[in-house]
């Protein structure tokens, strides 16, 4: 396969190689989307049709969806996931931009040491942390109350080191004069951050929002460990344990999975442009 | 104004010479006020638990018991002879060695192809990103079904091509590569976007200059694209390796009843830790495994940063 560098803009050449590129990309997209399509189509098949190998359901039915929504705790788990993912995302957006801003725009002793310490936490495997977290949460008896249970699920994700890195990169590119001008106008330091700096880094906030939301929507290891009662399960944990509760009912699982994709797809569709702009502009380049 | 007061802090100070020591003290105070809560968070939720893990690994710690006897390095000695740990370690290495190069190559390849096409570019990009936003648990369920030996569409397709049906996830030999394929499939969209961003940052003039000098496409790729893409590749390899070394969710959910696949063939270190700590409540021993995993991640990350990062004159 000969892959060449992108052609300069404005140059039109629909040669054989461009056609080949389209061909390969299309085959790739079909392979990529096949499991997706299979999931959606299976969720529309009736129980009798389930093990029929036809791609399209002969007699499409929404029965699986009805059952998932009415006969399982799906809606409860969905709500739990939504709550957990939303709260952690808001917290990460606030604290990570505050820390990123401070590390980029203030001069104080210990600045680089603090940055390096925060970044180094990226190398600590989650597995190493969950055991002490579990021991701590058990000792404090947190999961016995409603706020305690939700707090237990959320607390590890409230601030993210990756986000601090991302936001710092963004704030570094902000001109100092702008902040200085606000300072001369007598604006409070927090006001400068909140009303001057923050609105200027919207693309970064959007991409941080989607990655954080996605990460917490998908979080599995810690919620699996910490949640004791079925009503506090998040969607991934609930669906994973479907097996035991519903028997292996493929139709139900596929319907539940299809529904679980919706919020993330919506967030992605909404922020697509900013996400990519965010990645382009951040230091993910290195 | 006390212009004689000692000024530090580079640019800001240089531009506003009237800035006094009290202003700087104000800056320092503000900075630490802003950082107070986050620093406490990192201390309590990241650093203290890490130290606790180190400590736990020296005890025969079981949360269900009253007594937690100190055993020194006994847990680490046991690890050396633990066959299941050895298998989990080999599997994890295999996942990383398959997954990282494949996802980097595919991600870069697709990004380059996307660079060649104009029409439908945004659509293709969005479609490749779709698996990345699919919940991992859902994807694992679909994967089980798609690769099912009896009623999976992949085997139907193979039969259709007159190829023998494959056991995939049910065979000790094929389960690991099939699982790795799931992870690559899920990560691909992010890799594509990452490389698109990296490619977009390379100034077009370099390619124009190369073309004027009569360089072939292959030469331009080796001499311009690859070197200037080096930071993106390093980022992708380092973060990808860290993620593969902690592989858990996909492996568990491909086979929830028989965790770790047939004969432990898909078992990873992370899954082994989970089973030890929360299946058998051997938290001291599990902590020893986490310490080893941490050291491996640390060592590999440092080596990768040392050997992959090269400086080029841009």
């Amino acid at each position: 396969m000969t892959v060449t560098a992108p052609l300069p803009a404005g140059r039109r050449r629909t040669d054989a190689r461009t056609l080949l590129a389209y061909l390969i990309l299309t085959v790739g997209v079909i392979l990529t989307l096949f499991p997706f399509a299979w999931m959606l189509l299976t969720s529309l098949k009736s129980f009798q049709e389930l093990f029929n190998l036809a791609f399209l359901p002969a007699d499409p039915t929404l029965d699986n969806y009805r059952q998932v929504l009415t006969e399982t705790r799906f809606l409860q788990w969905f709500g739990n996931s939504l709550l957990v993912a939303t709260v952690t995302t808001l917290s990460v957006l606030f604290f990570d931009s505050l820390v990123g801003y401070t590390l980029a725009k203030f001069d104080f002793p210990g600045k680089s040491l603090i940055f390096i310490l925060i970044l180094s936490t990226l190398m600590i495997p989650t597995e190493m942390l969950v055991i002490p977290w579990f021991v701590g949460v058990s000792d404090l008896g947190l999961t016995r109350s409603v706020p305690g249970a939700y707090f237990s699920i959320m607390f590890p994700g409230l601030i993210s080191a990756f986000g601090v890195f991302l936001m710092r990169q963004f704030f570094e590119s902000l001109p100092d004069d702008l902040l200085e001008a606000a300072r001369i106008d007598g604006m409070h330091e927090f006001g400068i951050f909140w009303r001057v700096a923050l609105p200027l880094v919207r693309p970064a906030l959007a991409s941080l929002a989607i990655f954080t939301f996605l990460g917490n929507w998908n979080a599995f290891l810690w919620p699996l460990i910490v949640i004791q009662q079925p009503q506090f399960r998040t969607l991934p944990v609930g669906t994973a344990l479907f097996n035991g509760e519903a028997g292996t009912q493929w139709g139900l699982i596929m319907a539940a999975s299809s529904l679980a994709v919706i919020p993330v797809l919506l967030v992605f569709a909404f922020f697509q442009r900013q996400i990519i702009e965010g990645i382009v502009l951040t230091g993910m380049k290195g | 104004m006390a212009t004689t007061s000692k000024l530090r802090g580079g640019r800001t100070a240089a531009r506003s010479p009237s800035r006094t020591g009290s202003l700087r003290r104000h800056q320092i105070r503000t900075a630490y006020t802003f950082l107070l809560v986050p620093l406490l968070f990192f201390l309590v939720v990241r650093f203290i638990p890490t130290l606790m893990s180190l400590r736990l690994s020296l005890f025969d710690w079981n949360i269900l018991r009253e007594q937690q006897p100190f055993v020194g390095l006994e847990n680490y000695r046991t690890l050396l002879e633990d066959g299941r740990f050895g298998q989990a370690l080999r599997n994890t290495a295999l996942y990383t060695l398959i997954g990282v190069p494949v996802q980097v190559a595919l991600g870069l390849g697709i990004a380059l192809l996307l660079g060649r096409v104009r029409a439908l570019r945004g659509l293709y990009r969005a479609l490749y990103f779709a698996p990345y936003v699919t919940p991992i648990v859902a994807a694992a369920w679909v994967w089980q079904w798609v690769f099912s030996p009896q009623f999976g569409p992949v085997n139907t397709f193979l039969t259709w091509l007159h190829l023998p049906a494959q056991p995939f996830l049910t065979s000790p030999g094929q389960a690991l590569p099939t699982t790795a394929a799931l992870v690559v499939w899920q990560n691909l969209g992010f890799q594509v976007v990452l490389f698109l961003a990296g490619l977009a940052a390379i100034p077009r003039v370099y390619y124009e200059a190369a073309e004027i000098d009569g360089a072939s496409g292959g030469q331009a790729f080796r001499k311009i694209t690859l070197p200037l893409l080096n930071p993106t590749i390093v980022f992708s390899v380092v973060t990808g390796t860290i993620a593969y070394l902690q592989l858990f969710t996909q492996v568990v959910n491909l086979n929830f009843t028989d965790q770790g696949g047939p004969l432990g063939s898909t078992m990873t270190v992370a899954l082994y830790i989970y089973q030890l700590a929360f299946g058998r409540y051997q938290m001291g021993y599990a902590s020893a495994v986490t310490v080893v995993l941490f050291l491996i991640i640390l060592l590999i990350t440092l080596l990768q940063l040392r050997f992959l990062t090269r400086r080029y004159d841009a």
Side-chain angles (χ1 to χ4, degrees):
Chain A
M1 190 172 75
T2 44
V3 186
T4 54
L7 286 172
R11 174 148 176 198
R12 291 168 62 222
R13 211 170 70 178
T14 325
D15 57 14
R17 277 195 291 186
T18 307
L19 285 177
L20 187 67
Y22 272 110
L23 186 73
I24 297 170
L25 284 172
T26 309
V27 171
V29 161
I30 292 171
L31 286 177
T32 306
L33 291 185
F34 179 78
F36 239 174
W38 191 258
M39 170 175 84
L40 287 174
L41 292 168
T42 307
S43 73
L44 297 171
K45 287 179 179 172
S46 66
F47 188 71
Q48 289 78 13
E49 255 197 282
L50 217 53
F51 297 99
N52 186 342
L53 289 170
F55 191 63
L56 293 170
D59 185 19
T61 167
L62 289 175
D63 206 48
N64 291 317
Y65 289 90
R66 189 192 54 76
Q67 258 185 288
V68 162
L69 293 174
T70 57
E71 289 167 27
T72 72
R73 289 177 182 268
F74 181 86
L75 284 176
Q76 209 171 25
W77 300 335
F78 194 92
N80 289 341
S81 278
L82 211 55
L83 177 77
V84 168
T86 309
V87 172
T88 45
T89 303
L90 291 177
S91 167
V92 164
L93 287 182
F94 176 74
F95 283 113
D96 283 22
S97 47
L98 188 62
V99 176
Y101 173 75
T102 309
L103 291 175
K105 291 296 170 200
F106 283 91
D107 183 34
F108 57 93
K111 180 165 127 162
S112 24
L113 180 71
I114 289 173
F115 181 58
I116 290 167
L117 281 177
I118 292 178
L119 262 195
S120 70
T121 63
L122 287 174
M123 282 187 291
I124 305 172
T126 320
E127 292 74 22
M128 194 173 192
L129 300 168
V130 290
I131 299 171
W133 288 344
F134 183 77
V135 172
V137 165
S138 308
D139 282 353
L140 297 172
L142 273 182
T143 51
R144 283 195 284 273
S145 67
V146 173
Y150 284 117
F151 177 75
S152 303
I153 303 172
M154 285 179 209
F155 80 82
L158 291 175
I159 303 182
S160 109
F162 173 74
V164 167
F165 171 72
L166 194 107
M167 295 314 296
R168 178 178 163 273
Q169 297 284 99
F170 256 82
F171 282 119
E172 291 238 293
S173 63
L174 226 60
D176 286 330
D177 301 335
L178 206 68
L179 311 174
E180 209 55 47
R183 226 159 257 150
I184 289 161
D185 287 347
M187 217 169 169
H188 191 270
E189 284 295 341
F190 186 79
I192 300 174
F193 159 70
W194 189 252
R195 275 180 287 167
V196 180
L198 212 51
L200 293 169
V201 292
R202 278 220 188 89
L205 290 172
S207 58
L208 182 58
I210 177 84
F211 289 123
T212 311
F213 188 88
L214 192 64
N216 285 287
W217 184 260
N218 263 335
F220 187 71
L221 175 64
W222 174 240
L224 178 71
I225 291 165
V226 78
I227 305 170
Q228 315 284 336
Q229 291 147 306
Q231 71 262 30
F232 295 130
R233 279 179 195 158
T234 54
L235 203 49
V237 178
T239 349
L241 300 173
F242 238 168
N243 211 0
E245 277 169 19
T248 307
Q249 300 197 34
W250 288 103
L252 291 194
I253 287 162
M254 293 299 149
S257 304
S258 305
L259 289 172
V261 176
I262 295 171
V264 200
L265 272 186
L266 281 180
V267 178
F268 175 66
F270 207 70
F271 287 119
Q272 214 221 123
R273 200 162 291 277
Q274 283 98 319
I275 293 162
I276 288 158
E277 198 184 333
I279 297 174
V280 173
L281 296 175
T282 52
M284 284 204 211
K285 306 191 292 285
Chain B
M1 292 300 266
T3 41
T4 49
S5 71
K6 200 145 174 84
L7 287 169
R8 285 171 54 208
R11 292 169 302 171
T12 329
R15 256 204 322 278
S16 46
S18 65
R19 182 162 276 242
T20 63
S22 92
L23 265 174
R24 180 168 148 78
R25 272 199 300 279
H26 176 71
Q27 266 227 336
I28 296 173
R29 233 188 357 257
T30 314
Y32 277 108
T33 314
F34 284 177
L35 291 177
L36 187 65
V37 173
L39 285 181
L40 269 176
F41 173 87
F42 281 107
L43 188 70
V44 174
V45 181
R46 300 283 188 267
F47 288 110
I48 293 176
T50 305
L51 295 175
M52 260 179 83
S53 260
L54 282 169
R55 205 178 98 83
L56 280 176
S57 76
L58 303 175
F59 288 80
D60 179 12
W61 189 289
N62 183 324
I63 200 164
L64 302 179
R65 281 197 320 244
E66 286 291 312
Q67 297 289 318
Q68 317 293 358
F70 177 82
V71 292
L73 294 175
E74 193 54 42
N75 285 328
Y76 293 93
R77 211 166 300 144
T78 316
L79 261 186
L80 291 175
E81 291 146 25
D82 184 346
R84 274 179 82 73
F85 172 67
Q87 187 184 22
L89 204 59
R90 274 194 303 277
N91 287 346
T92 306
L94 212 55
Y95 277 117
T96 313
L97 289 173
I98 297 173
V100 176
V102 170
Q103 78 184 27
V104 168
L106 283 178
L108 179 56
I110 293 170
L112 285 169
L113 287 170
L114 281 174
R116 280 194 73 88
V117 306
R118 295 259 159 271
L120 299 179
R121 196 174 173 172
L123 180 69
Y124 276 122
R125 195 176 59 189
L127 292 178
Y128 277 115
F129 207 72
Y132 188 73
V133 296
T134 310
I136 299 173
V137 177
W141 284 113
V142 178
W143 214 252
Q144 263 185 67
W145 179 269
V146 168
F147 284 97
S148 155
Q150 297 94 33
F151 27 77
V154 174
N155 266 324
T156 315
F157 185 67
L158 288 178
T159 328
W160 189 60
L161 290 175
H162 299 289
L163 289 167
Q166 298 298 320
F168 294 117
L169 290 163
T170 57
S171 109
Q174 293 179 5
L176 192 147
T178 312
T179 309
L182 167 64
V183 189
V184 170
W185 176 73
Q186 283 218 294
N187 290 347
L188 193 56
F190 182 71
Q191 300 294 321
V192 170
V193 172
L194 195 65
F195 282 115
L196 279 175
L199 288 173
I202 301 177
R204 294 244 171 246
V205 283
Y206 291 156
Y207 293 110
E208 281 155 22
E211 204 165 350
I212 291 165
D213 290 345
S216 72
Q219 279 172 324
F221 178 70
R222 276 193 309 277
K223 295 272 158 68
I224 301 170
T225 313
L226 272 188
L228 289 175
L229 212 53
N230 187 268
T232 314
I233 297 172
V234 173
F235 179 84
S236 169
V237 169
V238 172
T239 55
T241 305
I242 293 178
Y244 271 93
L245 290 175
Q246 297 185 60
L247 197 58
F248 176 78
T249 312
Q250 284 92 344
V251 181
V252 176
N253 287 295
L254 277 176
N255 214 330
F256 210 85
T257 44
D258 176 26
Q259 289 180 6
L263 302 173
S265 57
T266 64
M267 166 76 77
T268 61
V269 174
L271 178 53
Y272 189 51
I273 292 168
Y274 171 76
Q275 291 181 349
L276 285 175
F278 302 99
R280 297 194 236 154
Y281 296 104
Q282 298 179 353
M283 291 174 159
Y285 187 49
S287 294
V289 185
T290 69
V291 173
V292 173
L293 180 64
F294 176 53
L295 293 177
I296 292 173
I297 290 177
L298 191 69
L299 184 72
I300 292 181
T301 307
L302 293 178
L303 283 178
Q304 282 178 338
L305 287 176
R306 172 96 173 67
F307 288 107
L308 289 177
T309 316
R310 270 178 266 150
R311 299 252 168 259
Y312 289 92
D313 295 318

